[in-house]
Amino acid sequence: MRNGHFARLRGARGGQASAAVAELATAAWVDESLHAPLAEAGALPLLVALLRSTDAAAQESAAVALGKLAMDVGAGIRPRIVDVGAVPALVALLCSGTEDVKACAAFALGWLSPEAPTRALIVAAGALAPLVAMLRSGTDVGKRWAVGTLAWLTRDTPNLTLIADAGALPVLVTFLSPSQACPTGRSTCCTLRRLAMNERLRELALEHGTAGVLAVAADAPGCEWADSARAALRALCPTQGDAERALGALQLKVGALSAERDASSHLENSAVRAERDALAK
């Protein structure tokens, strides 16, 4: 079975390659015992070659397979994936792939990111800008994996300003829905907590109203990542003055939203009255 997966991948051409790598990715997902044998048999460079192909389906499946293989810490496959050139190939897909391909590339990069040397390679390859762009316009799945990868990259202090300067902060705040179904809440809080280690970025986050939104999530009933929100809030507001400032900003925001709602309601009522008067004539 294991040799069969590899043989089909090695001998596949054209559309057959997409089917073969999709089969391998599925097998790797459900059967971890395949991971080490596939790596030993030479599957890793073939998967990287498919990342560089023009077949979007093959690119997706190859990225998913590499990400799944990277999840297997015990097999020691992560450094071998890096050694065969996966990082620049995956970052290239963040820039030029379809939205689904970008999501799969972010998934794979996220699982390659626990090691500091690999994080340095990912940043050097130019991943930050396309990852932040995915926060704005990617698919829901793409946004989830982009946030997760950025959370890993914030472990290195030099990356904090780079991520913020790429415009991540205001976008991250929009991800802080206290809904239980919010899949990016914990990773977003982790990213914001680490960004707050930089004084300038902490001030910038406060200006964007981050603390107020975190406070709402931290107290929301049933919020699965309320603990992460509280940790991020403590990092953003280490002093009483910061907490009072954040509370004032939240009150101003609530007041503005209330005024906006009242104005909208007034306009709607005026339109209804105008339509009623026109019908009465």
Side-chain angles (χ1 to χ4, degrees):
M1 182 68 171
R2 297 172 184 179
N3 292 334
H5 285 301
F6 176 69
R8 283 191 288 277
L9 177 63
R10 182 175 53 187
R13 294 291 184 274
Q16 292 179 339
S18 299
V21 74
E23 182 181 354
L24 184 148
T26 301
W29 195 269
V30 300
D31 186 356
E32 292 187 356
S33 69
L34 288 173
H35 294 180
L38 285 170
E40 291 295 335
L44 299 182
L46 295 179
L47 290 171
V48 172
L50 287 169
L51 295 178
R52 297 191 175 108
S53 74
T54 57
D55 185 333
Q59 290 170 342
E60 286 182 42
S61 295
V64 170
L66 288 169
K68 179 58 180 175
L69 292 171
M71 292 168 68
D72 192 345
V73 180
I77 299 176
R78 278 181 192 159
R80 298 172 66 177
I81 293 173
V82 174
D83 288 345
V84 295
V87 168
L90 289 166
V91 172
L93 293 181
L94 290 181
C95 302
S96 62
T98 67
E99 292 303 320
D100 289 337
V101 167
K102 290 177 182 179
C104 295
F107 163 75
L109 287 169
W111 282 105
L112 289 171
S113 295
E115 280 73 37
T118 304
R119 293 197 295 271
L121 288 175
I122 291 171
V123 173
L128 293 183
L131 284 170
V132 172
M134 286 178 67
L135 300 184
R136 299 191 188 93
S137 58
T139 63
D140 288 344
V141 173
K143 291 176 181 178
R144 176 181 179 181
W145 290 115
V147 170
T149 303
L150 288 170
W152 276 110
L153 297 178
T154 57
R155 286 176 173 261
D156 303 311
T157 301
N159 295 340
L160 299 178
T161 54
L162 296 175
I163 292 170
D165 290 344
L169 269 172
V171 189
L172 287 170
V173 176
T174 66
F175 290 175
L176 293 173
S177 165
S179 167
Q180 284 184 315
C182 179
T184 59
R186 197 173 298 278
S187 295
T188 300
C189 290
C190 179
T191 302
L192 290 169
R193 177 172 58 82
R194 291 189 181 128
L195 289 173
M197 295 167 58
N198 180 293
E199 182 64 23
R200 179 179 72 84
L201 301 184
R202 189 176 70 83
E203 289 292 323
L204 186 60
L206 289 171
E207 290 174 9
H208 283 293
T210 309
V213 181
L214 284 169
V216 172
D219 288 336
C223 179
E224 293 182 342
W225 44 272
D227 56 336
S228 298
R230 285 190 286 271
L233 190 59
R234 286 193 296 271
L236 283 169
C237 302
T239 68
Q240 182 65 27
D242 290 324
E244 291 174 353
R245 175 180 164 196
L247 179 59
L250 179 60
Q251 290 171 337
L252 287 174
K253 185 172 183 178
V254 171
L257 289 172
S258 178
E260 182 180 340
R261 181 193 62 205
D262 292 344
S264 176
S265 177
H266 175 73
L267 289 173
E268 184 177 345
N269 290 337
S270 298
V272 170
R273 286 196 297 271
E275 183 177 356
R276 183 191 60 202
D277 293 343
L279 291 172
K281 290 181 180 180

